[in-house]
Amino acid sequence: MSQPIEVIGGIDTHTDVHQAAVIDTIGRHLATEAFPTTPAGHRDLLEWLQSYGRVLVVGREGTGSFGAELGRYLRANQLRVIEVDRPDRRARRAAGKSDSIDAYAAATAVLAGRATGTPKNRDGAVEAIRGLRAVRASAVKARTQTINQIKSRSIEVDRSPADDASRA
């Protein structure tokens, strides 16, 4: 019985759709596909990657908020996720710009050893504090807007029609 091939995934993350690519261990491009950024999309992406062979590692470009949930999902399913920096602008101009090219570049960066970073987990105490800070900033902004609105209304109320007549 033959052993399944080993593959490396590459993912370019976005708000609505993640673009994924899969390569073999010598860098041959096997396939590229887009998946929605939903729990079902994450499951489909993982199943799609695994349909090509045993997944060794996944390189993920865009490790901020767009890819955080996907990263958690992949790690929960025992896959190693590597942070891949965006290619420099010169390389992007030379190769062209598309999400499928970026996903393929993420996979090849991992294979070549150019990408070795571990993405932030985006969970635990640090993420809880980040969430609290975001809520606080929103509350401060809403409070300031309310105070400004009250002050502008009180100025209008304080000014009577007689004041307007005397100015004329």
Side-chain angles (χ1 to χ4, degrees):
M1 183 173 173
S2 67
Q3 295 287 341
I5 68 168
E6 295 177 328
V7 296
I8 297 166
I11 303 169
D12 186 21
T13 61
H14 296 283
T15 306
D16 300 319
V17 175
H18 296 319
Q19 185 72 39
V22 62
I23 63 174
D24 64 12
T25 55
I26 58 173
R28 287 184 294 206
H29 183 232
L30 302 177
T32 306
E33 180 124 3
F35 297 90
T37 59
T38 62
H42 297 157
R43 185 179 56 252
D44 292 345
L45 189 155
L46 177 59
E47 289 172 2
W48 177 80
L49 280 174
Q50 291 172 333
S51 73
Y52 286 92
R54 188 170 75 84
V55 181
L56 298 176
V57 64
V58 175
R60 187 185 65 180
E61 180 186 317
T63 59
S65 61
F66 295 153
E69 188 61 35
L70 175 62
R72 280 190 287 272
Y73 180 79
L74 295 175
R75 282 191 307 277
N77 284 279
Q78 313 312 310
L79 286 181
R80 189 166 65 111
V81 179
I82 299 291
E83 183 173 336
V84 177
D85 292 330
R86 256 186 2 192
D88 68 355
R89 290 185 181 177
R90 181 180 297 156
R92 288 183 100 159
R93 276 194 301 272
K97 166 65 181 120
S98 79
D99 295 337
S100 52
I101 289 172
D102 288 348
Y104 176 69
T108 56
V110 171
L111 178 63
R114 292 189 313 268
T116 57
T118 303
K120 295 175 184 152
N121 287 338
R122 295 238 174 224
D123 57 7
V126 172
E127 191 61 23
I129 291 170
R130 188 185 334 268
L132 289 172
R133 288 180 53 87
V135 170
R136 182 185 184 280
S138 176
V140 167
K141 181 178 178 183
R143 177 183 178 269
T144 302
Q145 289 174 336
T146 301
I147 289 170
N148 290 342
Q149 189 175 19
I150 289 169
K151 285 181 179 179
S152 71
R153 301 271 182 200
S154 67
I155 291 171
E156 291 173 9
V157 170
D158 289 347
R159 195 174 355 151
S160 66
D163 292 337
D164 290 337
S166 66
R167 289 184 194 174

